[in-house]
Amino acid sequence: VITRFAQCVGNERYLTALYLLTVADIRGTSPKVWNAWKGKLLEDLYRYTLRVLGGRAPDADAEVEARKREALVQLALHAMPFESHKKLWNTLDVGYFMRHDAGDIAWHTRQLSRIIEHRQPEDASRAIVRARISPVGEGMQVLVYTPDQPDLFARICGYFDQAGFSILDAKVHTASDGRALDTFQVVTAALPEHYRELISMVETNLARTIDQAGPLPAPSRGRVSRRVKSFPIAPRIDLRPDDKAQRWLLSISASDRVGLPYSVARVLAKHKINLRLAKVTTLGERVEDTFLIDGPELQQNWAQIEIETELLQALAA
């Protein structure tokens, strides 16, 4: 993506001009539209594209090693035992390290390494949920580490929907030991000045929701903002197989509203679709979600059409 974007932009002067114009355009729209989270997304895009324009081809291995080294430095500052990170890191693939910065990797490792090291057999099936005030932008970061299970993503999104949180960003991973390591950036309009008090509630209630594994709740009717009503975005679904047609890439674009990720997750759960990777991103009034999925129904043309139709209905609801 970065390489293609760099080819479109052409040179550093155009890149800088486009970056400044984009920031000015977003901030000039409304004070509520701009936030530090969007600022970081744009800054990352600018920084990575600048490297490519300077002649540095993207090198995934070098990037991963750099992030690991920086994360280890941060872990040392917190007096983590030597090599205590290895048991967790050995279960994580390159995708995890490419999609999280060093600060997030260090936080995940601090929260999970000691638990993994001293976990009792009877605790192995319990969900671990940790939350913190977001170091970048508003809201909270939430970490979920639990044995993977059907409907897990839908169950987590259902909790956030019922609790009144909007998901700005979600990254879903499955470790080599069969455990899910999912991270979410969430915000709430109800008590935006009380995130610190909400941390304990989210950690306790979300873990209980995952462990109880009851029926999925009905989605709430998310309120649509006035700006979305004025500038609606036509829902778009793109479902494509990989080279071997074993896994599929599902891309979704639609107007944002509270509970939208949960509505999508319920459709996937209904058709017993397995979620391998997920990238949920909210950009102003638009959501851009990408899922790597598989499941028997995806091998049938009629089922593909049915899934796409139900997803479009969920996006338009």
Side-chain angles (χ1 to χ4, degrees):
V1 171
I2 296 297
T3 301
R4 292 201 303 270
F5 180 63
Q7 291 171 348
C8 292
V9 173
N11 59 56
E12 181 179 341
R13 181 172 181 270
Y14 288 166
L15 175 66
T16 301
L18 181 61
Y19 172 73
L20 295 174
L21 178 62
T22 304
V23 173
D25 182 45
I26 295 175
R27 299 190 70 161
T29 301
S30 164
K32 296 181 179 179
V33 174
W34 176 263
N35 56 41
W37 174 249
K38 294 175 187 173
K40 182 180 183 301
L41 293 177
L42 288 171
E43 179 185 339
D44 288 346
L45 176 62
Y46 178 86
R47 184 159 45 86
Y48 292 137
T49 307
L50 191 61
R51 288 186 191 178
V52 175
L53 292 175
R56 293 177 56 186
D59 186 338
D61 292 336
E63 184 69 30
V64 166
E65 289 306 312
R67 294 185 188 188
K68 286 182 176 180
R69 286 195 300 271
E70 187 178 344
L72 288 174
V73 170
Q74 296 187 33
L75 290 172
L77 294 175
H78 287 85
M80 288 287 292
F82 181 63
E83 294 191 341
S84 61
H85 63 283
K86 279 196 169 183
K87 197 166 185 178
L88 173 64
W89 286 17
N90 287 341
T91 67
L92 302 172
D93 61 12
V94 65
Y96 167 83
F97 291 100
M98 283 296 293
R99 294 171 65 199
H100 293 280
D101 62 28
D104 288 341
I105 294 169
W107 179 58
H108 300 164
T109 306
R110 286 194 291 112
Q111 298 301 316
L112 299 177
S113 291
R114 289 191 179 95
I115 296 174
I116 292 172
E117 189 68 30
H118 303 290
R119 182 172 49 204
Q120 300 300 316
E122 61 269 19
D123 297 328
S125 62
R126 294 179 181 173
I128 298 169
V129 179
R130 295 291 183 266
R132 66 172 178 173
I133 301 295
S134 175
V136 178
E138 59 185 319
M140 281 191 298
Q141 283 186 349
V142 180
L143 165 67
V144 176
Y145 186 69
T146 184
D148 201 9
Q149 58 179 271
D151 309 341
L152 176 61
F153 183 70
R155 203 167 300 286
I156 296 171
C157 291
Y159 167 78
F160 287 132
D161 180 36
Q162 298 296 307
F165 288 96
S166 295
I167 300 174
L168 295 183
D169 184 81
K171 300 182 180 74
V172 172
H173 294 276
T174 303
S176 61
D177 62 355
R179 291 182 176 274
L181 197 163
D182 303 344
T183 57
F184 299 84
Q185 176 99 2
V186 299
V187 295
T188 178
L191 297 166
E193 68 278 7
H194 296 291
Y195 281 113
R196 195 168 301 280
E197 289 84 351
L198 293 173
I199 287 176
S200 178
M201 180 197 78
V202 170
E203 290 180 342
T204 302
N205 293 348
L206 179 53
R208 184 186 300 122
T209 298
I210 296 170
D211 289 337
Q212 289 178 344
L216 295 175
S220 63
R221 293 293 300 173
R223 185 179 64 85
V224 177
S225 71
R226 185 172 59 184
R227 183 170 174 80
V228 167
K229 291 179 181 178
S230 302
F231 302 97
I233 298 169
R236 178 181 58 80
I237 302 290
D238 185 32
L239 183 62
R240 299 183 184 183
D242 64 8
D243 295 337
K244 297 181 180 180
Q246 298 299 313
R247 294 184 177 180
W248 296 69
L249 192 66
L250 172 64
S251 300
I252 292 173
S253 179
S255 297
D256 183 36
R257 61 174 169 81
V258 174
L260 184 62
Y262 180 48
S263 298
V264 172
R266 277 176 57 90
V267 174
L268 299 181
K270 173 185 174 183
H271 291 274
K272 296 180 172 56
I273 301 298
N274 301 314
L275 190 62
R276 301 300 180 183
L277 287 172
K279 183 69 173 70
V280 175
T281 306
T282 303
L283 303 168
E285 288 72 39
R286 188 178 80 255
V287 293
E288 294 283 351
D289 300 346
T290 304
F291 306 92
L292 185 65
I293 58 179
D294 62 29
E297 289 198 27
L298 292 171
Q299 305 302 323
Q300 307 293 330
N301 289 336
W302 63 267
Q304 295 173 24
I305 296 173
E306 185 176 338
I307 292 169
E308 291 178 341
T309 301
E310 291 182 18
L311 284 171
L312 285 171
Q313 292 172 347
L315 297 177

